[in-house]
Amino acid sequence: MKLENIEFGYDSFVEGMTKLKNEKHFDYLVTIVGEDFGEEGLGCVYILENTETHERVSVKQIAKTAGDDHVLPTTMHLWKISEILEREVYDFLGIKFLGHRDMRRLYLRNDFKGYPLRKNYNFADNVYTTEDDVEADYGCEYSLDGNGKLTAKKNLLFGEEDFVVNIGPQHPSTHGVLRLQTVLDGETIRRIYPHLGYIHRGIEKMCESYTYPQTLALTDRMDYLSAMMNRHALVGVIEEALGVELTDRIKYVRTIMDELQRIDSHLLYLGCCAQDLGALTAFLYSMRDREHVLNVMEETTGGRLIQNYYRIGGLQDDIDPNFVKNVKDLIAYLRPMVQEYMDVFGDNVITHNRFEGVGTMDKKNIISYGVTGCSGRASGWNNDVRKNHPYAMYDKVDFKEVTRNTCDSMGRYLNRIDEIYQSLNIIEQLIDNIPEGDFFIKQKPIIKLPEGQWYFSCEGSRGEIGVYLDSRGDKSPYRLKFRPMGLNHVAAMDEMLRGSKIADLITVGAALDFVIPDIDR
């Protein structure tokens, strides 16, 4: 969608946002985009959705200067996900959110100098170091005094009697590079503080110096299990800005590839859930069948993990001559296998005991944290981007949006089982009807987008993957922001797990299904 930003003005910002949330039911905060707008100053773009009508709006707010600092009021009292999204903006742009209880860096080291998403940032200011990163045991809460001067209050993160352990970074339970600083009372969890950035590569900053075709190479390396959808979101926003009209053949193939990728991801999810709980057999079963999916994709794309298939204007190449037959054979093979996963692991009494009633969160809070995908739909939230904001061929195929009202880890697991069936149904409706036509609409050698701001999203394997694009008419984006799927999931873990046992943390992390390079970017 092309953004037509609402601007309340600094003094009316909180009142305006409160009305949008409470009176107009914009209860889903899709993302907060921090940006250096140049002469306008630093600020944020807030993208909001009404979960009843699925209408979306964007709000732009320029930060107020207070001496050398830039400040904005927090929106934590309206949307719970603001806590971690505002920390991300602070980390990369240095905007301090007044009233936020824990203004600390989220991705970068505490001794990192400056804010890299500012246009005047000088990379020479930072020198690589192998010294330990000294972490504070408090978060800062900023406010303005009567004279407009910025003041800070220290909020302690831990008490003197708190027992704090690090869960992660390790494989497989925290997927390698996620660290959860966990406050315990015996074996009972009292609080979780996520530490991110162990695999942060500065992708959004890199994109500012890349041409639009060059940015595509980075998408497959974020959520590598949603590689097709990641790139679909990026090419989608660029194509919308360019006004490119795709052929039906392109739309058919993209939809089929997205669903193959979803099945690939869900199969690995089913295996990793079992492995995290100590069951190896189910992992071997799902990995065996995932190979069949990758074989089908590889014949056309040439890749297995990194696909590099979608281009601005279509596809890298046409589908393989055997693609249709191979996909139909895969569907016939997979359908009976899905039940096998339930027989071996999903319907096991141990699985029920470990998953049911664990990591519960009701619909209102799931929306407040913006937990999309199967994990959000387990709490009864109809958030499927394919239904609410159709793209490609999703408005032309018949499929069910899988939801449950269990609000727990078991529902999140079962939703993915059911989604594999729905993906097979979608592919089955399309595979025999791929129309003739061009697989690529030729573009100019140097792609320049018109000025403006756009946001485009796809339904990834873990939820909504979105791309915000600000173009100033050049061959490179002025600002490119990816909405990660997993960041919201990790943010919700603290509230989900308070009062639970430490073993439940591994269960909940497995059921939520996050991929760390997607979060860290």
Side-chain angles (χ1 to χ4, degrees):
M1 70 175 191
K2 192 174 192 305
L3 302 188
E4 303 292 342
N5 295 322
I6 301 169
E7 298 191 40
F8 295 117
Y10 183 88
D11 294 332
S12 303
F13 174 71
V14 174
E15 180 185 358
M17 295 296 270
T18 302
K19 285 183 177 179
L20 283 176
K21 165 69 166 32
N22 297 334
E23 297 179 15
K24 297 187 177 180
H25 201 69
F26 284 94
D27 51 344
Y28 169 32
L29 174 56
V30 180
T31 191
I32 302 176
V33 183
E35 185 170 353
D36 183 344
F37 291 102
E39 292 182 359
E40 287 185 274
L42 306 180
C44 291
V45 173
Y46 299 74
I47 300 175
L48 310 171
E49 179 176 320
N50 180 319
T51 56
E52 294 177 348
T53 65
H54 308 302
E55 177 191 0
R56 287 189 166 176
V57 298
S58 58
V59 177
K60 178 180 176 181
Q61 183 56 55
I62 301 297
K64 180 179 180 179
T65 55
D68 293 332
D69 293 299
H70 300 78
V71 297
L72 275 174
T74 185
T75 55
M76 279 177 57
H77 59 293
L78 299 173
W79 301 279
K80 292 184 177 181
I81 191 58
S82 292
E83 179 175 2
I84 206 162
L85 295 182
E86 289 174 356
R87 282 183 63 191
E88 179 184 359
V89 173
Y90 166 69
D91 200 359
F92 295 138
L93 282 147
I95 298 174
K96 295 175 179 175
F97 291 85
L98 306 178
H100 191 293
R101 297 184 295 270
D102 187 11
M103 276 276 92
R104 288 179 295 146
R105 288 196 182 272
L106 183 62
Y107 291 96
L108 305 176
R109 288 173 58 106
N110 293 287
D111 58 1
F112 192 91
K113 297 176 183 177
Y115 304 99
L117 284 183
R118 292 187 182 183
K119 295 299 181 182
N120 61 357
Y121 176 74
N122 183 7
F123 280 94
D125 290 341
N126 278 282
V127 179
Y128 181 78
T129 176
T130 57
E131 297 295 320
D132 286 343
D133 188 17
V134 179
E135 295 177 351
D137 59 355
Y138 60 86
C140 285
E141 182 176 346
Y142 293 97
S143 60
L144 295 177
D145 63 17
N147 297 319
K149 185 179 179 182
L150 192 68
T151 61
K153 181 180 76 170
K154 293 181 179 180
N155 294 322
L156 290 177
L157 304 176
F158 319 108
E160 290 185 3
E161 301 300 318
D162 284 340
F163 185 74
V164 183
V165 298
N166 288 310
I167 310 296
Q170 75 224 30
H171 244 308
S173 57
T174 63
H175 300 254
V177 278
L178 172 68
R179 173 181 163 218
L180 300 173
Q181 203 170 21
T182 308
V183 182
L184 297 174
D185 181 5
E187 287 194 25
T188 302
I189 296 170
R190 292 182 54 194
R191 189 69 203 265
I192 294 173
Y193 296 102
H195 290 256
L196 309 174
Y198 287 90
I199 197 169
H200 176 64
R201 291 152 291 171
I203 284 177
E204 293 176 6
K205 184 66 176 179
M206 291 165 64
C207 287
E208 294 178 8
S209 59
Y210 283 9
T211 64
Y212 286 102
Q214 287 174 329
T215 62
L216 302 185
L218 303 173
T219 56
D220 296 41
R221 293 160 174 81
M222 295 189 298
D223 182 350
Y224 40 78
L225 298 173
S226 292
M228 291 290 190
M229 298 82 123
N230 284 345
R231 188 172 291 210
H232 201 157
L234 181 53
V235 297
V237 76
I238 296 171
E239 288 163 353
E240 183 178 341
L242 284 172
V244 176
E245 290 291 333
L246 302 175
T247 65
D248 283 347
R249 185 175 185 84
I250 295 169
K251 294 177 183 177
Y252 268 71
V253 175
R254 282 185 179 179
T255 306
I256 293 169
M257 285 295 188
D258 278 11
E259 293 310 309
L260 287 172
Q261 183 83 81
R262 195 179 319 281
I263 294 170
D264 157 33
S265 178
H266 286 353
L267 288 175
L268 186 62
Y269 165 85
L270 298 177
C272 288
C273 270
Q275 186 183 38
D276 285 356
L277 269 63
L280 183 60
T281 304
F283 177 79
L284 298 176
Y285 276 44
S286 66
M287 289 298 286
R288 171 199 67 192
D289 296 338
R290 180 173 174 260
E291 288 296 302
H292 293 291
V293 180
L294 295 179
N295 288 341
V296 171
M297 299 172 74
E298 183 184 23
E299 282 199 340
T300 290
T301 69
R304 296 179 74 81
L305 191 69
I306 307 302
Q307 301 293 345
N308 291 324
Y309 188 51
Y310 299 164
R311 294 172 63 188
I312 301 167
L315 310 169
Q316 180 72 28
D317 203 348
D318 207 350
I319 55 175
D320 184 83
N322 298 318
F323 181 74
V324 172
K325 178 184 181 300
N326 290 340
V327 169
K328 292 167 76 172
D329 290 345
L330 176 69
I331 293 171
Y333 170 78
L334 273 182
R335 281 199 185 278
M337 290 300 174
V338 181
Q339 182 58 43
E340 197 173 69
Y341 312 138
M342 289 297 293
D343 295 340
V344 172
F345 177 77
D347 208 19
N348 187 298
V349 63
I350 298 174
T351 306
H352 283 281
N353 288 338
R354 290 293 304 274
F355 273 177
E356 288 179 357
V358 174
T360 58
M361 181 169 280
D362 61 22
K363 180 179 176 180
K364 181 180 178 182
N365 282 310
I366 280 285
I367 293 173
S368 188
Y369 277 106
V371 178
T372 54
C374 289
S375 297
R377 291 193 282 276
S379 296
W381 178 21
N382 297 80
N383 60 56
D384 197 321
V385 179
R386 298 171 296 177
K387 289 284 190 182
N388 300 339
H389 308 281
Y391 55 97
M393 296 304 296
Y394 287 112
D395 57 344
K396 302 292 193 299
V397 292
D398 180 30
F399 69 101
K400 295 179 180 177
E401 181 175 2
V402 179
T403 61
R404 280 179 167 77
N405 290 300
T406 60
C407 304
D408 62 1
S409 296
M410 193 72 216
R412 294 163 198 148
Y413 178 89
L414 294 175
N415 273 2
R416 287 167 174 86
I417 291 283
D418 290 347
E419 275 209 351
I420 293 176
Y421 287 121
Q422 293 304 316
S423 292
L424 293 172
N425 291 343
I426 292 170
I427 296 170
E428 212 162 32
Q429 293 172 60
L430 298 174
I431 194 63
D432 278 328
N433 302 302
I434 300 175
E436 296 297 324
D438 293 331
F439 66 84
F440 178 67
I441 308 300
K442 190 174 181 179
Q443 304 300 308
K444 293 180 179 179
I446 298 177
I447 296 175
K448 290 186 178 182
L449 269 55
E451 291 189 18
Q453 297 169 317
W454 289 266
Y455 180 79
F456 188 93
S457 58
C458 292
E459 182 66 22
S461 306
R462 270 147 286 285
E464 177 175 348
I465 171 71
V467 179
Y468 163 88
L469 170 64
D470 187 350
S471 169
R472 299 292 172 94
D474 299 323
K475 62 182 180 180
S476 299
Y478 183 80
R479 174 79 166 99
L480 198 64
K481 156 76 175 175
F482 293 94
R483 180 205 184 272
M485 296 168 275
L487 181 60
N488 303 63
H489 295 53
V490 170
M493 287 183 72
D494 173 42
E495 188 167 333
M496 281 182 183
L497 282 160
R498 289 186 192 181
S500 301
K501 297 299 183 183
I502 193 168
D504 293 334
L505 186 153
I506 306 303
T507 301
V508 170
L512 283 172
D513 186 26
F514 39 74
V515 170
I516 310 305
D518 161 63
I519 299 173
D520 281 2
R521 287 155 285 154

